Coordinates of all heavy atoms in Angstrom, one line a residue:
M1 N 0.0 4.8 4.8 CA 1.3 5.1 5.3 C 2.3 4.0 4.9 O 2.0 2.9 5.0 CB 1.2 5.3 6.8 CG 2.5 5.3 7.5 SD 2.4 5.7 9.2 CE 3.6 6.9 9.3
Q2 N 3.4 4.4 4.5 CA 4.4 3.5 4.1 C 5.2 3.0 5.3 O 5.7 3.9 6.1 CB 5.3 4.1 3.0 CG 6.3 3.1 2.4 CD 7.0 3.6 1.2 OE1 6.5 4.5 0.6 NE2 8.1 3.0 0.9
L3 N 5.5 1.7 5.4 CA 6.2 1.2 6.5 C 7.7 1.2 6.2 O 8.1 1.1 5.0 CB 5.8 -0.2 6.8 CG 4.3 -0.4 7.2 CD1 4.0 -1.9 7.3 CD2 4.1 0.2 8.6
S4 N 8.5 1.2 7.2 CA 10.0 1.0 7.1 C 10.3 -0.4 6.5 O 9.4 -1.3 6.6 CB 10.7 1.2 8.4 OG 10.4 0.1 9.3
E5 N 11.4 -0.5 5.9 CA 11.8 -1.8 5.3 C 11.8 -2.9 6.4 O 11.4 -4.0 6.2 CB 13.1 -1.7 4.6 CG 13.6 -3.0 4.0 CD 12.7 -3.5 2.8 OE1 12.0 -2.7 2.2 OE2 12.6 -4.7 2.6
T6 N 12.4 -2.6 7.6 CA 12.4 -3.6 8.6 C 11.0 -4.0 9.1 O 10.8 -5.2 9.3 CB 13.3 -3.0 9.8 OG1 14.6 -2.6 9.3 CG2 13.4 -4.1 10.9
A7 N 10.1 -3.0 9.2 CA 8.7 -3.4 9.6 C 8.1 -4.3 8.6 O 7.4 -5.2 8.9 CB 7.9 -2.1 9.8
R8 N 8.3 -4.0 7.3 CA 7.8 -4.9 6.2 C 8.4 -6.3 6.3 O 7.7 -7.3 6.1 CB 8.0 -4.3 4.8 CG 7.2 -3.0 4.6 CD 7.2 -2.6 3.2 NE 8.6 -2.3 2.7 CZ 9.2 -1.1 2.6 NH1 8.5 0.0 3.1 NH2 10.4 -1.0 2.2
E9 N 9.7 -6.4 6.6 CA 10.3 -7.7 6.8 C 9.8 -8.4 7.9 O 9.6 -9.7 7.9 CB 11.8 -7.5 6.9 CG 12.5 -7.0 5.6 CD 14.0 -6.7 5.8 OE1 14.5 -6.9 6.9 OE2 14.6 -6.3 4.8
I10 N 9.5 -7.8 9.0 CA 8.9 -8.4 10.2 C 7.5 -9.0 9.8 O 7.2 -10.1 10.1 CB 8.8 -7.5 11.4 CG1 10.2 -7.2 11.9 CG2 7.9 -8.1 12.5 CD1 10.3 -6.1 13.0
L11 N 6.7 -8.2 9.1 CA 5.4 -8.7 8.7 C 5.5 -9.9 7.7 O 4.7 -10.8 7.8 CB 4.5 -7.6 8.1 CG 4.0 -6.5 9.1 CD1 3.3 -5.4 8.3 CD2 3.2 -7.1 10.1
D12 N 6.5 -9.8 6.8 CA 6.8 -10.9 5.9 C 7.2 -12.2 6.7 O 6.7 -13.3 6.4 CB 7.9 -10.6 4.9 CG 7.5 -9.6 3.9 OD1 6.3 -9.5 3.6 OD2 8.4 -9.0 3.2
F13 N 7.9 -12.0 7.8 CA 8.3 -13.1 8.6 C 7.1 -13.7 9.3 O 6.9 -15.0 9.4 CB 9.3 -12.7 9.7 CG 10.0 -13.8 10.5 CD1 10.4 -15.0 9.9 CD2 10.2 -13.6 11.8 CE1 11.0 -16.0 10.6 CE2 10.8 -14.6 12.6 CZ 11.2 -15.8 11.9
F14 N 6.2 -12.9 9.8 CA 4.9 -13.4 10.3 C 4.2 -14.2 9.2 O 3.6 -15.3 9.5 CB 4.0 -12.3 10.8 CG 4.0 -12.0 12.3 CD1 4.6 -10.9 12.8 CD2 3.5 -12.9 13.2 CE1 4.6 -10.6 14.1 CE2 3.5 -12.7 14.5 CZ 4.1 -11.5 15.0
R15 N 4.2 -13.7 8.0 CA 3.4 -14.4 6.9 C 4.0 -15.8 6.7 O 3.3 -16.8 6.5 CB 3.5 -13.6 5.7 CG 2.7 -14.3 4.6 CD 2.7 -13.4 3.3 NE 1.7 -14.0 2.4 CZ 1.4 -13.4 1.3 NH1 1.8 -12.2 1.0 NH2 0.5 -14.0 0.5
E16 N 5.4 -15.9 6.8 CA 6.0 -17.2 6.5 C 5.8 -18.2 7.7 O 5.8 -19.4 7.4 CB 7.6 -17.0 6.4 CG 8.0 -16.2 5.2 CD 9.5 -15.8 5.3 OE1 10.2 -16.4 6.2 OE2 9.9 -14.9 4.6
T17 N 5.6 -17.7 8.9 CA 5.7 -18.6 10.0 C 4.3 -18.7 10.8 O 4.2 -19.6 11.6 CB 6.7 -18.1 11.0 OG1 6.4 -16.8 11.5 CG2 8.1 -18.2 10.4
H18 N 3.4 -17.8 10.6 CA 2.2 -17.8 11.3 C 1.0 -17.7 10.4 O 1.0 -17.0 9.4 CB 2.2 -16.7 12.4 CG 3.2 -16.9 13.4 ND1 4.5 -16.6 13.1 CD2 3.1 -17.3 14.7 CE1 5.2 -16.9 14.2 NE2 4.4 -17.2 15.2
R19 N -0.1 -18.3 10.7 CA -1.3 -18.4 9.9 C -2.6 -17.8 10.5 O -3.6 -17.9 9.9 CB -1.6 -19.8 9.4 CG -0.4 -20.4 8.7 CD -0.4 -19.9 7.3 NE 0.7 -20.5 6.5 CZ 1.6 -19.8 5.8 NH1 1.5 -18.5 5.7 NH2 2.6 -20.4 5.2
K20 N -2.5 -17.2 11.7 CA -3.7 -16.7 12.3 C -3.5 -15.4 13.0 O -2.4 -15.1 13.4 CB -4.1 -17.7 13.5 CG -4.4 -19.1 13.1 CD -4.8 -19.8 14.3 CE -4.6 -21.3 14.2 NZ -4.8 -22.1 15.4
P21 N -4.5 -14.6 13.0 CA -4.4 -13.4 13.9 C -4.3 -13.8 15.3 O -4.7 -14.9 15.7 CB -5.8 -12.7 13.6 CG -6.7 -13.6 12.9 CD -5.8 -14.7 12.4
G22 N -3.6 -13.0 16.1 CA -3.3 -13.4 17.5 C -2.1 -14.2 17.6 O -1.7 -14.5 18.7
A23 N -1.4 -14.5 16.5 CA -0.2 -15.3 16.6 C 0.9 -14.5 17.3 O 1.0 -13.3 17.1 CB 0.3 -15.7 15.2
R24 N 1.7 -15.1 18.1 CA 2.7 -14.5 18.9 C 4.1 -14.9 18.4 O 4.3 -16.0 18.0 CB 2.6 -14.8 20.4 CG 1.3 -14.1 21.0 CD 1.3 -14.4 22.4 NE 0.2 -13.6 23.0 CZ 0.1 -13.3 24.3 NH1 1.0 -13.7 25.1 NH2 -0.9 -12.6 24.7
M25 N 5.0 -13.9 18.6 CA 6.4 -14.2 18.3 C 7.3 -13.5 19.4 O 6.9 -12.4 19.8 CB 6.7 -13.6 16.9 CG 8.1 -13.9 16.4 SD 8.4 -13.3 14.7 CE 7.1 -14.1 13.7
T26 N 8.3 -14.1 19.8 CA 9.2 -13.5 20.8 C 10.2 -12.6 20.1 O 10.6 -12.8 19.0 CB 9.9 -14.6 21.6 OG1 10.8 -15.3 20.7 CG2 8.9 -15.6 22.3
M27 N 10.6 -11.7 20.9 CA 11.7 -10.8 20.4 C 13.0 -11.6 20.2 O 13.7 -11.3 19.3 CB 12.0 -9.7 21.4 CG 10.9 -8.7 21.5 SD 10.5 -7.8 20.0 CE 12.0 -6.9 19.7
A28 N 13.2 -12.7 21.0 CA 14.3 -13.6 20.7 C 14.3 -14.2 19.3 O 15.3 -14.3 18.7 CB 14.4 -14.7 21.8
K29 N 13.1 -14.6 18.9 CA 13.0 -15.1 17.6 C 13.3 -14.1 16.5 O 13.9 -14.4 15.5 CB 11.5 -15.7 17.4 CG 11.4 -16.5 16.1 CD 10.1 -17.3 16.2 CE 10.0 -18.2 15.0 NZ 8.8 -19.1 15.1
L30 N 12.8 -12.8 16.7 CA 13.1 -11.8 15.8 C 14.7 -11.5 15.8 O 15.2 -11.3 14.7 CB 12.4 -10.5 16.2 CG 10.9 -10.5 15.9 CD1 10.3 -9.2 16.4 CD2 10.6 -10.7 14.4
D31 N 15.3 -11.5 17.0 CA 16.7 -11.3 17.1 C 17.5 -12.4 16.3 O 18.5 -12.2 15.6 CB 17.2 -11.3 18.5 CG 16.8 -10.0 19.2 OD1 16.4 -9.0 18.6 OD2 16.9 -10.0 20.5
A32 N 17.0 -13.7 16.4 CA 17.6 -14.8 15.7 C 17.5 -14.6 14.2 O 18.4 -14.9 13.5 CB 17.0 -16.1 16.1
R33 N 16.4 -14.0 13.8 CA 16.2 -13.8 12.3 C 16.9 -12.6 11.8 O 17.5 -12.6 10.7 CB 14.7 -13.7 12.1 CG 14.3 -13.3 10.7 CD 14.5 -14.4 9.6 NE 14.1 -14.0 8.3 CZ 13.2 -14.6 7.6 NH1 12.6 -15.7 8.1 NH2 12.9 -14.2 6.4
F34 N 16.8 -11.5 12.5 CA 17.3 -10.2 12.0 C 18.5 -9.7 12.7 O 19.1 -8.6 12.4 CB 16.2 -9.1 12.2 CG 14.9 -9.4 11.4 CD1 13.8 -9.9 12.0 CD2 14.9 -9.3 10.0 CE1 12.7 -10.2 11.3 CE2 13.8 -9.6 9.3 CZ 12.6 -10.1 9.9
G35 N 19.0 -10.4 13.8 CA 20.1 -9.9 14.6 C 19.6 -8.9 15.6 O 18.4 -8.6 15.7
T36 N 20.5 -8.4 16.4 CA 20.1 -7.5 17.5 C 20.1 -6.0 17.1 O 20.4 -5.2 17.9 CB 21.0 -7.7 18.7 OG1 22.4 -7.5 18.3 CG2 20.8 -9.1 19.3
D37 N 19.9 -5.8 15.9 CA 19.8 -4.4 15.3 C 18.8 -3.6 16.0 O 17.6 -4.0 16.1 CB 19.5 -4.5 13.8 CG 19.6 -3.2 13.1 OD1 19.7 -2.2 13.7 OD2 19.6 -3.3 11.8
P38 N 19.1 -2.4 16.5 CA 18.1 -1.5 17.1 C 17.0 -1.2 16.2 O 15.9 -0.8 16.6 CB 18.9 -0.3 17.5 CG 20.3 -0.7 17.5 CD 20.5 -1.8 16.5
A39 N 17.2 -1.3 14.9 CA 16.1 -1.0 13.9 C 14.9 -2.0 14.1 O 13.8 -1.6 13.8 CB 16.6 -1.1 12.5
V40 N 15.2 -3.2 14.6 CA 14.1 -4.1 14.9 C 13.2 -3.6 16.0 O 11.9 -3.6 15.8 CB 14.7 -5.5 15.2 CG1 13.5 -6.5 15.7 CG2 15.4 -6.1 14.1
A41 N 13.7 -3.1 17.0 CA 12.9 -2.5 18.1 C 12.1 -1.3 17.6 O 10.9 -1.1 18.0 CB 13.7 -2.2 19.3
V42 N 12.7 -0.5 16.8 CA 12.0 0.7 16.2 C 10.9 0.2 15.3 O 9.8 0.8 15.4 CB 13.0 1.6 15.5 CG1 12.3 2.7 14.7 CG2 14.1 2.2 16.4
A43 N 11.2 -0.8 14.5 CA 10.1 -1.3 13.6 C 9.0 -1.9 14.4 O 7.8 -1.7 14.0 CB 10.7 -2.4 12.7
V44 N 9.2 -2.6 15.5 CA 8.2 -3.2 16.3 C 7.3 -2.1 16.9 O 6.1 -2.2 16.9 CB 8.7 -4.1 17.4 CG1 7.7 -4.5 18.4 CG2 9.3 -5.4 16.8
S45 N 8.0 -1.0 17.4 CA 7.3 0.1 17.9 C 6.4 0.8 16.8 O 5.2 1.1 17.1 CB 8.3 1.1 18.4 OG 7.6 2.3 18.9
E46 N 6.9 0.9 15.6 CA 6.2 1.4 14.5 C 4.9 0.5 14.2 O 3.8 1.1 14.0 CB 7.1 1.5 13.2 CG 6.4 1.9 11.9 CD 7.4 1.8 10.7 OE1 8.5 1.3 10.9 OE2 6.9 2.1 9.7
L47 N 5.1 -0.8 14.1 CA 4.0 -1.7 13.9 C 3.0 -1.6 15.0 O 1.7 -1.7 14.7 CB 4.5 -3.1 13.7 CG 5.4 -3.4 12.4 CD1 6.0 -4.7 12.5 CD2 4.5 -3.3 11.2
A48 N 3.4 -1.5 16.2 CA 2.4 -1.4 17.3 C 1.7 -0.1 17.2 O 0.4 0.0 17.4 CB 3.2 -1.5 18.6
R49 N 2.4 1.0 16.9 CA 1.7 2.3 16.9 C 0.7 2.3 15.8 O -0.4 3.0 15.9 CB 2.8 3.4 16.6 CG 2.3 4.8 16.6 CD 3.4 5.8 16.4 NE 4.5 5.5 15.6 CZ 4.5 5.6 14.3 NH1 3.5 6.0 13.6 NH2 5.6 5.2 13.6
L50 N 0.9 1.6 14.7 CA 0.0 1.6 13.6 C -1.1 0.5 13.7 O -2.0 0.4 12.9 CB 0.7 1.4 12.2 CG 1.6 2.5 11.9 CD1 2.5 2.2 10.7 CD2 0.8 3.8 11.6
G51 N -1.0 -0.3 14.8 CA -2.1 -1.3 15.0 C -1.9 -2.6 14.4 O -2.8 -3.5 14.4
Y52 N -0.7 -2.9 13.8 CA -0.4 -4.2 13.1 C -0.1 -5.3 14.2 O -0.3 -6.4 13.9 CB 0.7 -4.1 12.1 CG 0.3 -3.3 10.9 CD1 0.8 -2.0 10.7 CD2 -0.5 -3.8 9.9 CE1 0.5 -1.3 9.6 CE2 -0.9 -3.1 8.8 CZ -0.4 -1.8 8.6 OH -0.7 -1.1 7.5
V53 N 0.5 -4.9 15.3 CA 0.9 -5.8 16.3 C 0.6 -5.1 17.7 O 0.4 -3.9 17.7 CB 2.4 -6.2 16.3 CG1 2.7 -6.9 15.0 CG2 3.3 -5.1 16.6
T54 N 0.5 -6.0 18.7 CA 0.5 -5.5 20.1 C 1.7 -6.0 20.8 O 2.3 -7.0 20.3 CB -0.8 -5.9 20.8 OG1 -0.9 -7.3 20.9 CG2 -2.1 -5.3 20.1
T55 N 2.0 -5.5 21.9 CA 3.1 -5.9 22.7 C 2.7 -6.3 24.1 O 2.7 -5.4 25.0 CB 4.3 -4.9 22.7 OG1 3.7 -3.6 23.2 CG2 4.9 -4.7 21.3
P56 N 2.2 -7.5 24.3 CA 1.6 -7.9 25.6 C 2.7 -7.9 26.7 O 2.3 -7.7 27.8 CB 1.1 -9.3 25.4 CG 1.6 -9.8 24.1 CD 2.1 -8.6 23.3
D57 N 3.9 -8.0 26.4 CA 5.0 -7.9 27.3 C 6.3 -7.5 26.5 O 6.3 -7.4 25.3 CB 5.2 -9.1 28.2 CG 5.6 -10.3 27.4 OD1 6.6 -10.3 26.6 OD2 4.8 -11.3 27.5
A58 N 7.3 -7.2 27.3 CA 8.5 -6.7 26.6 C 9.2 -7.7 25.7 O 9.9 -7.3 24.8 CB 9.5 -6.2 27.7
G59 N 8.9 -8.9 25.8 CA 9.6 -9.9 25.0 C 8.7 -10.6 24.0 O 9.2 -11.5 23.3
T60 N 7.5 -10.1 23.7 CA 6.6 -10.7 22.8 C 5.9 -9.7 22.0 O 5.5 -8.6 22.5 CB 5.5 -11.5 23.6 OG1 6.2 -12.4 24.6 CG2 4.6 -12.3 22.7
I61 N 5.6 -10.0 20.7 CA 4.7 -9.3 19.9 C 3.6 -10.2 19.4 O 3.8 -11.4 19.2 CB 5.4 -8.5 18.7 CG1 6.0 -9.5 17.7 CG2 6.5 -7.6 19.2 CD1 6.6 -8.8 16.4
E62 N 2.4 -9.6 19.2 CA 1.3 -10.4 18.8 C 0.6 -9.7 17.6 O 0.4 -8.5 17.6 CB 0.3 -10.4 19.9 CG -1.0 -11.2 19.7 CD -1.9 -11.3 20.9 OE1 -1.4 -11.6 22.0 OE2 -3.1 -11.0 20.7
L63 N 0.4 -10.5 16.6 CA -0.3 -10.0 15.3 C -1.7 -9.7 15.6 O -2.5 -10.6 16.1 CB -0.1 -11.1 14.2 CG -0.4 -10.7 12.8 CD1 0.5 -9.6 12.3 CD2 -0.3 -11.9 11.9
T64 N -2.1 -8.5 15.2 CA -3.6 -8.1 15.4 C -4.3 -8.5 14.1 O -3.8 -9.0 13.1 CB -3.7 -6.6 15.6 OG1 -3.2 -6.0 14.4 CG2 -2.9 -6.1 16.8
D65 N -5.6 -8.4 14.2 CA -6.5 -8.6 13.0 C -6.0 -7.8 11.9 O -6.0 -8.2 10.7 CB -8.0 -8.4 13.3 CG -8.5 -9.4 14.2 OD1 -8.0 -10.5 14.4 OD2 -9.6 -9.1 14.9
R66 N -5.8 -6.5 12.2 CA -5.3 -5.6 11.1 C -4.0 -6.0 10.5 O -3.8 -6.0 9.3 CB -5.2 -4.2 11.7 CG -4.7 -3.2 10.7 CD -4.6 -1.8 11.2 NE -4.3 -0.9 10.1 CZ -4.0 0.4 10.3 NH1 -4.1 0.9 11.5 NH2 -3.7 1.1 9.2
G67 N -3.1 -6.4 11.4 CA -1.8 -6.9 10.9 C -1.9 -8.2 10.0 O -1.3 -8.3 9.0
F68 N -2.8 -9.1 10.5 CA -3.1 -10.3 9.7 C -3.6 -10.0 8.4 O -3.2 -10.6 7.4 CB -4.1 -11.2 10.5 CG -4.4 -12.4 9.8 CD1 -3.6 -13.6 9.8 CD2 -5.6 -12.5 9.1 CE1 -4.0 -14.7 9.2 CE2 -6.0 -13.7 8.4 CZ -5.2 -14.8 8.5
D69 N -4.6 -9.1 8.3 CA -5.2 -8.7 7.0 C -4.1 -8.1 6.1 O -4.1 -8.4 4.9 CB -6.3 -7.7 7.2 CG -7.6 -8.3 7.8 OD1 -7.7 -9.6 7.8 OD2 -8.4 -7.6 8.3
A70 N -3.3 -7.3 6.6 CA -2.2 -6.6 5.8 C -1.2 -7.7 5.3 O -0.8 -7.6 4.1 CB -1.5 -5.6 6.6
V71 N -0.9 -8.6 6.1 CA 0.1 -9.6 5.8 C -0.4 -10.5 4.7 O 0.2 -10.8 3.7 CB 0.5 -10.5 7.0 CG1 1.2 -11.7 6.6 CG2 1.4 -9.7 7.9
H72 N -1.7 -11.0 4.8 CA -2.2 -11.9 3.9 C -2.8 -11.3 2.6 O -3.0 -12.0 1.7 CB -3.2 -12.9 4.6 CG -2.4 -13.8 5.5 ND1 -1.7 -14.9 5.1 CD2 -2.1 -13.7 6.9 CE1 -1.1 -15.5 6.1 NE2 -1.3 -14.8 7.2
R73 N -3.0 -10.0 2.7 CA -3.5 -9.3 1.4 C -2.3 -8.6 0.7 O -2.5 -8.1 -0.3 CB -4.5 -8.3 1.8 CG -5.8 -8.8 2.1 CD -6.8 -7.7 2.3 NE -7.9 -8.1 3.2 CZ -8.6 -7.2 3.8 NH1 -8.5 -5.9 3.6 NH2 -9.5 -7.7 4.6
G74 N -1.2 -8.7 1.4 CA 0.0 -8.0 0.9 C -0.1 -6.5 1.0 O 0.6 -5.7 0.4
G75 N -0.9 -6.0 1.9 CA -1.2 -4.6 2.1 C -0.1 -3.8 2.8 O -0.3 -2.7 3.2
H76 N 1.1 -4.4 3.0 CA 2.1 -3.8 3.7 C 3.3 -3.4 2.8 O 4.3 -2.9 3.3 CB 2.6 -4.6 4.9 CG 3.2 -5.9 4.5 ND1 2.4 -7.0 4.0 CD2 4.4 -6.4 4.5 CE1 3.1 -8.0 3.8 NE2 4.4 -7.7 4.0
R77 N 3.2 -3.7 1.6 CA 4.3 -3.5 0.6 C 3.9 -2.3 -0.3 O 2.7 -2.2 -0.7 CB 4.5 -4.7 -0.3 CG 5.2 -5.9 0.4 CD 6.6 -5.6 0.5 NE 7.3 -6.5 1.4 CZ 8.5 -6.3 1.8 NH1 9.2 -5.2 1.4 NH2 9.1 -7.1 2.6
P78 N 4.9 -1.5 -0.7 CA 4.6 -0.3 -1.5 C 4.1 -0.8 -2.9 O 4.5 -1.8 -3.4 CB 5.9 0.4 -1.7 CG 6.8 -0.2 -0.7 CD 6.3 -1.5 -0.3
G79 N 3.1 0.0 -3.4 CA 2.6 -0.4 -4.8 C 1.6 -1.4 -4.8 O 1.1 -1.9 -5.8
D80 N 1.1 -1.9 -3.6 CA 0.1 -3.0 -3.6 C -1.3 -2.4 -3.4 O -2.2 -3.2 -3.3 CB 0.4 -3.9 -2.4 CG 0.5 -3.3 -1.1 OD1 0.0 -2.1 -1.0 OD2 1.0 -3.9 -0.1
G81 N -1.4 -1.1 -3.5 CA -2.7 -0.5 -3.4 C -3.1 -0.1 -2.0 O -4.0 0.7 -1.8
A82 N -2.3 -0.5 -1.0 CA -2.7 -0.2 0.4 C -2.5 1.3 0.7 O -3.2 1.8 1.6 CB -1.9 -1.0 1.4
D83 N -1.6 1.9 0.0 CA -1.3 3.3 0.3 C -2.0 4.2 -0.7 O -1.9 5.4 -0.6 CB 0.2 3.6 0.2 CG 0.9 3.1 -1.0 OD1 0.2 2.5 -1.9 OD2 2.1 3.4 -1.2
A84 N -2.9 3.6 -1.5 CA -3.6 4.4 -2.5 C -4.8 5.1 -1.7 O -5.4 4.5 -0.8 CB -4.2 3.6 -3.6
P85 N -5.1 6.3 -2.1 CA -6.3 6.9 -1.4 C -7.6 6.2 -1.8 O -7.7 5.7 -2.9 CB -6.3 8.4 -2.0 CG -5.5 8.3 -3.2 CD -4.5 7.2 -3.1
T86 N -8.5 6.2 -0.8 CA -9.8 5.7 -1.1 C -10.6 6.6 -2.0 O -10.6 7.8 -1.7 CB -10.5 5.5 0.3 OG1 -9.7 4.7 1.1 CG2 -11.9 4.8 0.1
P87 N -11.2 6.1 -3.1 CA -11.9 7.0 -3.9 C -13.1 7.5 -3.2 O -13.7 6.9 -2.4 CB -12.4 6.0 -5.1 CG -12.2 4.7 -4.6 CD -11.2 4.7 -3.5
P88 N -13.5 8.8 -3.5 CA -14.7 9.3 -2.9 C -16.0 8.6 -3.3 O -16.1 8.1 -4.4 CB -14.7 10.8 -3.4 CG -13.9 10.8 -4.6 CD -12.9 9.6 -4.5
R89 N -16.9 8.6 -2.3 CA -18.2 7.9 -2.6 C -19.0 8.9 -3.5 O -19.0 10.1 -3.3 CB -18.9 7.7 -1.3 CG -18.3 6.6 -0.5 CD -19.0 6.3 0.7 NE -20.4 5.8 0.3 CZ -21.2 5.1 1.0 NH1 -20.8 4.8 2.2 NH2 -22.4 4.8 0.6
R90 N -19.7 8.3 -4.4 CA -20.6 9.1 -5.2 C -22.0 9.2 -4.5 O -22.3 8.3 -3.8 CB -20.8 8.4 -6.6 CG -19.6 8.3 -7.4 CD -19.8 7.7 -8.7 NE -20.6 6.4 -8.5 CZ -20.6 5.5 -9.4 NH1 -20.0 5.6 -10.6 NH2 -21.3 4.4 -9.2
S91 N -22.7 10.3 -4.8 CA -24.0 10.4 -4.2 C -24.9 9.3 -4.7 O -24.8 8.9 -5.9 CB -24.5 11.8 -4.4 OG -24.7 12.0 -5.8
G92 N -25.7 8.8 -3.9 CA -26.6 7.7 -4.3 C -26.0 6.3 -4.1 O -26.7 5.3 -4.3
D93 N -24.8 6.2 -3.6 CA -24.2 4.9 -3.3 C -24.6 4.4 -2.0 O -24.8 5.1 -1.0 CB -22.6 5.0 -3.3 CG -22.1 5.1 -4.8 OD1 -22.9 4.9 -5.7 OD2 -20.9 5.4 -4.9

């Protein structure tokens, strides 16, 4: 599934500023970086729905293991292979 541009930018921001799964970021920090655009809240909801982040409270987002893997493998950008279908297994594999 392809992410919105704002969702990809949020994951890029995690990559720049955090180095571990479970890293937390406040919504205030996102607002300082991206402004108070409603698209940020929509993108956070999108990331949470897809399992890239959790929202332990209304003012915090936390990077999940899945989000960490996507960020550090680049699996959240189009054309990086993350959206490519998994090849079928051959019999005998």
Side-chain angles (χ1 to χ4, degrees):
M1 170 172 226
Q2 188 169 340
L3 298 172
S4 68
E5 182 63 27
T6 305
R8 290 191 303 264
E9 289 174 3
I10 290 170
L11 290 178
D12 286 341
F13 190 42
F14 261 111
R15 183 176 188 172
E16 293 170 15
T17 59
H18 295 75
R19 300 284 179 226
K20 298 182 206 175
R24 290 184 173 201
M25 187 177 300
T26 64
M27 290 302 292
K29 190 168 189 171
L30 289 176
D31 287 346
R33 170 72 179 242
F34 300 105
T36 56
D37 186 348
V40 173
V42 171
V44 168
S45 177
E46 175 186 3
L47 291 169
R49 184 174 35 82
L50 296 172
Y52 290 106
V53 300
T54 61
T55 53
D57 59 58
T60 309
I61 64 172
E62 182 177 309
L63 192 62
T64 64
D65 289 340
R66 180 178 184 185
F68 177 81
D69 289 343
V71 164
H72 289 281
R73 288 188 208 160
H76 62 289
R77 288 279 169 194
D80 59 13
D83 52 354
T86 305
R89 292 183 60 161
R90 296 182 310 202
S91 62
D93 284 351

